[in-house]
Amino acid sequence: MAGVNKVILLGNLGADPEVKYLEGDKVVANLSLATTEAYNDRNGNRVEQTEWHDLELWDQQAKIAEKYLKKGSQIYVEGKIKSDKWTDEQGQNRKKTKIRVLSFTMVGGRPDGMGNPNPSPPQSDTSSPSSKPTTSMSSGGGPDISLDDADDDLPF
Amino acid sequence: MAGVNKVILLGNLGADPEVKYLEGDKVVANLSLATTEAYNDRNGNRVEQTEWHDLELWDQQAKIAEKYLKKGSQIYVEGKIKSDKWTDEQGQNRKKTKIRVLSFTMVGGRPDGMGNPNPSPPQSDTSSPSSKPTTSMSSGGGPDISLDDADDDLPF
Amino acid sequence: MAGVNKVILLGNLGADPEVKYLEGDKVVANLSLATTEAYNDRNGNRVEQTEWHDLELWDQQAKIAEKYLKKGSQIYVEGKIKSDKWTDEQGQNRKKTKIRVLSFTMVGGRPDGMGNPNPSPPQSDTSSPSSKPTTSMSSGGGPDISLDDADDDLPF
Amino acid sequence: MAGVNKVILLGNLGADPEVKYLEGDKVVANLSLATTEAYNDRNGNRVEQTEWHDLELWDQQAKIAEKYLKKGSQIYVEGKIKSDKWTDEQGQNRKKTKIRVLSFTMVGGRPDGMGNPNPSPPQSDTSSPSSKPTTSMSSGGGPDISLDDADDDLPF
DNA sequence: TTTT
DNA sequence: TTTT
């Protein structure tokens, strides 16, 4: 019975979040996240390998993603592997694997992009702290309450 | 500010849990967990190195630990690093680091020991399923609700 | 570019390892690992959900898996998500996701089954230590050298 | 024997790295890393709690840290808990816990700050890639070769 | 397909 | 102090 199914990712979004509002107040966001690994092959050449991950976020987290994330955003993610199975038109068994995100946090750069249309003075770079979004997990610490279960206020 | 503070341990208890019942229905359990790493040193000799971790569990988890864990139990633990600071009698700043357990699960062997007083027939070995304890996390999956926040029924 | 792509699993094998010896001394093992999560649905009923993971191990680790693991074995795994992409006969883009195992360790029960043919006396239960396999990682500690890079001796 | 002792941190440095060059070409760097967790207490007030971690890096990683990290740098870290024990002047048993870093990667902002004295054109922001430092782990992926074991070239 |  |  006891099992562990944990995924930890740190990477960048390949596109803006795709958000769908479903009936019954449900919201789902799909993100495409790239994790890139670089190493030297045996000829000493630098090689980069990128893996693309399909992320799925629900409800409160989906809303936060919609509001603060966009193409290029760097995020840290915790979640679990979850696969859908079905039979396709050819009668073949199919399986699609995605990451169900349990919590995430933006890292590095301010969430903006739009938010800072005139970054002319160099120091404006770090100036506006602009509260980076974190969904519950924060320091990996708290009880990791799913935002689904939390009240509906944005955490900032 | 976004942060992550996560600890993952898999090891054995060096002693039975120490459980204290505090006022106000609070319960705390302290566990001593060994994680042992083995490697070959540069002379090719096998070396074992054991690290001892002080774990702290609260409330529901503390009760589960008291009920199912004992010296020698092997557990998987997720938690965070948490340190206490104080000034000792010499006026020195002191700091003690422990692991605040957010979830754990027993692995391998049936939780028993006691639970299986007459294991004479070999096959009795696997017979009594005896439900291994898991605290919420299970497959690393669920919303990781802290047991503090859950209702008071044991999860099995 | 910095990225993190990490998977942590704890579960049971649904079948014996499938091992293939390739040309050039390469060995690959495929494992099917179940991680089961249990929770109470909103009607208070106990629900179990099992996720099946396709694991891929290479070379030294594949050999260790072949030698010590079998259907039912409980293992702790660290690895990364890795997907293969191809075009199927219908000209459709296809993608299959698997876990490339970087290290694993057996947990709980002695690796045997076979290994302990006459466990008649109860105490024989714990007697034959029978060295549980671990691939490098051990306490998550060492440099996590891939076994591919290590010499060819089994670590026990 | 099999154990897991793993720490994952994402936070900011409270000070510049302290680097010491020892005899025999050994180098050690000590970092102080803050992970901050924010939550609402039961009165609905926002509370921030910061945990400070003592990190220890060796050799190649120490050099990279010295070169690229400084007060305020945000890093992702993987390592293990490691404690030193000794007897103090009062004859008391003492124990100090630190994190032995196995790999780390800078996140977010380009490593410098200083490094980009004339970022006048807005787009220069993302132009100079300025190779963020990563120590082996990259996408959590590779064999996680300890830099101690790697050749002495900086990985960028 | 595992495990409890 | 555990475990192998």
Side-chain angles (χ1 to χ4, degrees), chain C residues 134-148:
Chain C
T134 280
T135 70
S136 82
M137 144 165 309
S138 293
S139 89
D144 260 23
I145 295 170
S146 161
L147 288 163
D148 307 13

Side-chain angles (χ1 to χ4, degrees), chain A residues 59-152:
Chain A
D59 301 324
Q60 179 68 347
Q61 293 194 319
K63 291 178 192 166
I64 298 174
E66 181 179 36
K67 189 162 183 185
Y68 294 98
L69 303 184
K70 57 168 197 176
K71 183 174 173 173
S73 296
Q74 188 183 24
I75 58 173
Y76 170 92
V77 166
E78 269 191 58
K80 61 177 168 177
I81 296 173
K82 213 158 171 359
S83 54
D84 290 328
K85 286 177 176 172
W86 74 98
T87 308
D88 69 10
E89 318 80 50
Q90 278 78 34
Q92 305 243 10
N93 288 328
R94 298 286 301 275
K95 182 184 181 182
K96 185 178 188 316
T97 299
K98 60 175 181 272
I99 309 300
R100 170 75 165 84
V101 174
L102 298 176
S103 59
F104 74 88
T105 189
M106 269 200 80
V107 293
R110 46 255 166 286
D112 71 60
M114 328 298 299
N116 204 0
N118 295 93
S120 18
Q123 63 276 32
S124 81
D125 218 323
T126 57
S127 53
S128 69
S130 76
S131 54
K132 285 175 225 140
T134 281
T135 70
S136 79
M137 143 164 309
S138 292
S139 90
D144 261 21
I145 294 170
S146 160
L147 287 164
D148 308 12
D149 303 329
D151 71 303
D152 218 34

Side-chain angles (χ1 to χ4, degrees), chain B residues 37-41 44-48, chain C residues 58-68 102-106 130-138 145-148 150-156, chain D residues 1-2:
Chain B
E37 175 181 4
Y39 60 92
N40 298 307
D41 67 12
N45 299 319
R46 198 71 182 159
V47 181
E48 280 207 354
Chain C
W58 285 90
D59 300 324
Q60 178 70 347
Q61 294 194 318
K63 291 178 192 166
I64 298 175
E66 181 179 36
K67 190 163 182 183
Y68 294 99
L102 298 175
S103 59
F104 75 88
T105 189
M106 270 200 79
S130 78
S131 53
K132 285 180 224 136
T134 280
T135 70
S136 82
M137 144 165 309
S138 293
I145 295 170
S146 161
L147 288 163
D148 307 13
D151 70 303
D152 217 37
D153 299 324
L154 293 185
F156 29 4
Chain D
M1 187 201 321

